[in-house]
């Protein structure tokens, strides 16, 4: 068995064997092995592992149709261009993706560097002897065709021989593609994906990257004079999956002031609900969910957009969608630099994973996914101990199965199609846990070792959460425990407060290991949010029945990206001006007239359903005190980035939701904090203990608040 670093998409392993070179600058001349001892003929054998996918697509990612070799020589002043030769006699071998070709080079004892260019129409005759590496990179650019890449993809590889080239040898070279790929999958219900296209794509690209380490690029190489001016034609999609259809060159990070419009974006079209005419949605390149990288596209990367929720129809035209963000659609973006994919080979079979070292977040329920690429129909996973011995009692799993490690710290599941292995944390991080865990993958005669660990939360600065809200004793008031005399929380809210200040929940050594949650507020019968005072707080709590001037509150919220605003809309006099300023209309009172429980939204965020304090599922029925509560329509929520948590009894509105992007929690019924009911199973326990799903839901919400406030 041989182990190599390779890729399902982004790398070609080229093995140069039986190097026999002859210098011949006439690239059109037939190959005649030279007998001159000053010339060596080169035979290059390129091995490109197959990826087991259809070759009926328009672009063949694995094909090599031409090769050109640039020879740089260091004679004491650094590497400079000497000459270039075309590879010829290119032929496919008997194995899939196996190529051979010849080239003619001049032997020398001086250090050499080879630049290999594949599938390019670049006019290398513009190069002159003595050019530096930087000058070569800047000279070799191509125009991105408005119709996109249609047959093959340009590639580049680099090989350095510090001892020169004087005799036969065998050398590996990895080619990286000068383009990126965009795949889109739709798993949302009530939506059918019909098209994918790109807007504001770079109009030219650089064949050779400015820098590359271990065949990996970390920054785009953008030729001088490049503009983001290409809008591609839409590609039709069937089966809710666009795979290996859309390719583009690199794009730079777009400054925040220029994003609307300016950044390269993906526009998808589709049918929402019963619509018969497609509408359109924009999806942005935000690698690693990092706004500082907004718009960046890197060669050798695959950008996989997974559409999981569509809440409303999109824009009428793709041009409109390309300009305006689409809050009606939620898509997870996975960015893979697949040259780093670890892969093993067995003759013509292969098995690769995106990583052999998985680190899951400290939170219970958090997941990490390993991407898998193989041409085998099945494979098997086993737990092993530190000595590499398989745990026979734990058994094994294959496609569409899962198992837990012997200590029940992690659950591992293999997808039905075998393309993904998902690791889930079954418990909150425990420093005393027996970690790491090791898993062995067996695929035919091939084996891979996977190591799984769990992270620890890294909080910034002071690890206490400071919460401010008017301490009036009114419905929903949290009271005051810091400023001046103590004010008790409202009788309906007391269980909620007990839950928050319980150090077993939020405290040193607690389930969420912080210093604690400090609750305070001025004991005033009037709305009181003094700017100087609230500037000291992390969370601003705006309860019933006030309607404050939103200016001070929104200024406080905008002053830091780590602040949470909790706003209630439990009647038309409660925070009306603040809700208007936020651009979120709501209705009150809300139908139906029957007093029925609130229910968990089907697309509630994972930090609620599988959060730090446990799981909440769709069997949840949450308390309703009466039929008087505010509701935000699903359409309004979608337009304002609000993810539903609790739905109104008819399922048509939101009574609790969260804007994860901006750090705002919306609550339309302060009675959800109330423990007073004839059905204790759907309310917070009087003690504040986390003994049912109602309490776990709110505790999980506050665990998310802690992370938002304390983690950079």
């Amino acid at each position: 068995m041989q182990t190599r670093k390779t890729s399902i998409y982004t790398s070609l392993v080229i093995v140069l064997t039986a190097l026999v070179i002859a210098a011949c600058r006439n690239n059109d001349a037939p190959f005649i092995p030279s007998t001159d001892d000053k010339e060596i003929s080169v035979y290059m054998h390129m091995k490109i592992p197959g990826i087991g996918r259809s070759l009926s697509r328009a672009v063949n990612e694995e094909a090599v149709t031409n090769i050109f070799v640039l020879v740089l020589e260091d004679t004491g002043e650094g590497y400079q261009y000497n000459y270039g030769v075309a590879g010829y006699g290119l032929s496919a071998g008997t194995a899939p993706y196996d190529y051979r070709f010849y080239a003619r080079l001049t032997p020398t004892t001086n250090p050499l560097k080879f630049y290999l260019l594949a599938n390019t129409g670049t006019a290398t005759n513009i190069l002159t002897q003595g050019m530096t590496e930087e000058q070569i990179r800047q000279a070799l650019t191509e125009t991105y065709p408005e119709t996109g890449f249609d047959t093959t993809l340009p590639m580049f590889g680099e090989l350095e021989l510090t001892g020169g080239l004087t005799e036969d040898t065998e050398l590996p070279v990895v080619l990286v593609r000068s383009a990126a790929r965009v795949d889109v999958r739709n798993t949302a219900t009530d939506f059918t994906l019909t098209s994918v296209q790109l807007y504001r794509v770079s109009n030219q690209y650089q064949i050779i990257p400015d820098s590359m380490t271990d065949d990996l690029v970390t920054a785009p190489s953008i030729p001088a004079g490049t503009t983001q001016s290409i809008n591609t034609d839409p590609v039709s999609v069937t089966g809710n999956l666009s795979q290996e259809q859309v390719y583009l060159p690199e794009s730079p990070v777009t400054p925040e002031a220029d994003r609307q419009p300016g950044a390269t974006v993906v526009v998808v079209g589709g049918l929402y609900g019963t619509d018969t005419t497609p509408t359109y949605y924009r999806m942005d390149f935000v690698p690693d969910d990092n706004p500082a990288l907004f718009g960046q596209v890197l060669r050798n990367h695959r950008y996989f957009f997974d559409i999981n929720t569509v809440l409303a129809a999109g824009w009428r035209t793709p041009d409109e969608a390309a300009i305006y963000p689409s809050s009606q659609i939620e898509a997870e973006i996975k960015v893979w630099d697949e040259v780093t994919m670890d892969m093993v080979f067995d003759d013509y079979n292969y098995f690769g994973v995106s990583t052999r070292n998985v680190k899951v977040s400290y939170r219970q329920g958090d997941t990490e996914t390993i991407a898998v690429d193989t041409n085998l129909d099945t494979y098997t996973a086993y737990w092993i101990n530190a000595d590499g011995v398989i745990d026979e009692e734990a058994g094994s799993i294959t496609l569409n199965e899962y198992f837990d490690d012997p200590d029940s710290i992690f659950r591992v599941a293999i997808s039905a199609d075998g393309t993904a292995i998902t690791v889930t944390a079954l418990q909150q991080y425990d420093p005393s846990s027996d970690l790491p865990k090791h898993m062995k993958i067996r695929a035919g005669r091939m084996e891979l070792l996977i190591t799984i660990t769990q992270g620890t939360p890294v909080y910034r600065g002071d690890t206490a959460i400071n919460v401010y809200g008017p301490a009036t004793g009114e419905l929903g008031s949290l009271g005051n425990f810091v400023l001046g005399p103590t004010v008790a929380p409202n009788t309906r809210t007391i269980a909620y407060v007990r839950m928050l200040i319980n150090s077993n929940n939020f405290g040193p050594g607690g389930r969420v290991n912080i210093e604690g949650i400090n609750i305070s507020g001025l004991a005033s019968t009037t709305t009181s949010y003094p700017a100087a005072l609230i500037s000291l707080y992390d969370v601003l709590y705006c309860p019933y029945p006030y309607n404050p001037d939103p200016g001070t509150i929104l200024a406080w919220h905008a002053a830091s990206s780590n602040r949470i605003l909790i706003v209630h809309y439990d009647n038309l006099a409660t925070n009306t001006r603040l809700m208007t300023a936020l651009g979120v209309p709501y209705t009150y009172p809300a139908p139906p007239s029957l007093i029925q429980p609130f229910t968990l939204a089907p697309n509630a965020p994972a930090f609620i359903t599988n959060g730090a304090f446990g799981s909440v599922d769709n069997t949840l029925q949450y308390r309703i005190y009466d039929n008087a509560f505010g509701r935000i329509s699903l359409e309004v929520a979608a337009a304002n980035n609000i993810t539903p948590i609790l739905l109104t009894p008819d399922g048509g509105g939101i009574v609790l939701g969260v804007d994860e992007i901006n750090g705002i929690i919306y609550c339309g019924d302060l009675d959800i904090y109330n423990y007073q009911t004839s059905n204790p199973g759907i309310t917070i326990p009087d003690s504040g203990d986390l003994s049912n799903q109602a309490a776990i839901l709110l505790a999980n919400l506050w665990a998310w608040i802690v992370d938002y406030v304390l983690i950079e």
Side-chain angles (χ1 to χ4, degrees), residues 25 70-73 75 77-84 106 124-133 135-136:
R25 306 299 165 75
L70 307 182
V71 180
L72 289 72
E73 189 170 351
T75 59
E77 298 182 2
Y79 284 113
Q80 296 180 344
Y81 177 68
N82 191 2
Y83 62 94
T106 302
T124 52
N125 58 3
I126 64 175
L127 303 180
T128 58
Q129 276 191 331
M131 274 188 166
T132 64
E133 293 184 79
Q135 290 171 329
I136 294 172

Side-chain angles (χ1 to χ4, degrees), residues 624-702:
I624 184 170
Y625 194 80
D626 51 35
N627 68 340
F629 52 84
R631 63 189 275 157
I632 298 172
S633 71
L634 295 176
E635 292 75 17
V636 168
N640 289 276
N641 300 308
I642 303 172
T643 302
I645 295 176
L646 289 176
L647 297 180
T648 54
D650 64 348
I654 296 173
V655 74
L656 180 65
V658 57
D659 178 351
E660 298 178 54
I661 297 174
N662 297 303
I664 306 175
I665 296 169
Y666 294 87
C667 183
D669 189 3
L670 282 151
D671 275 316
I672 69 170
Y673 309 135
N674 192 346
Y675 71 90
Q676 299 169 355
T677 180
S678 59
N679 187 348
I682 62 175
T683 65
I684 308 171
D686 184 11
S687 63
D689 293 337
L690 306 180
S691 57
N692 62 19
Q693 290 198 90
I696 291 172
L697 182 147
L698 288 178
N700 283 344
L701 179 61
W702 274 89

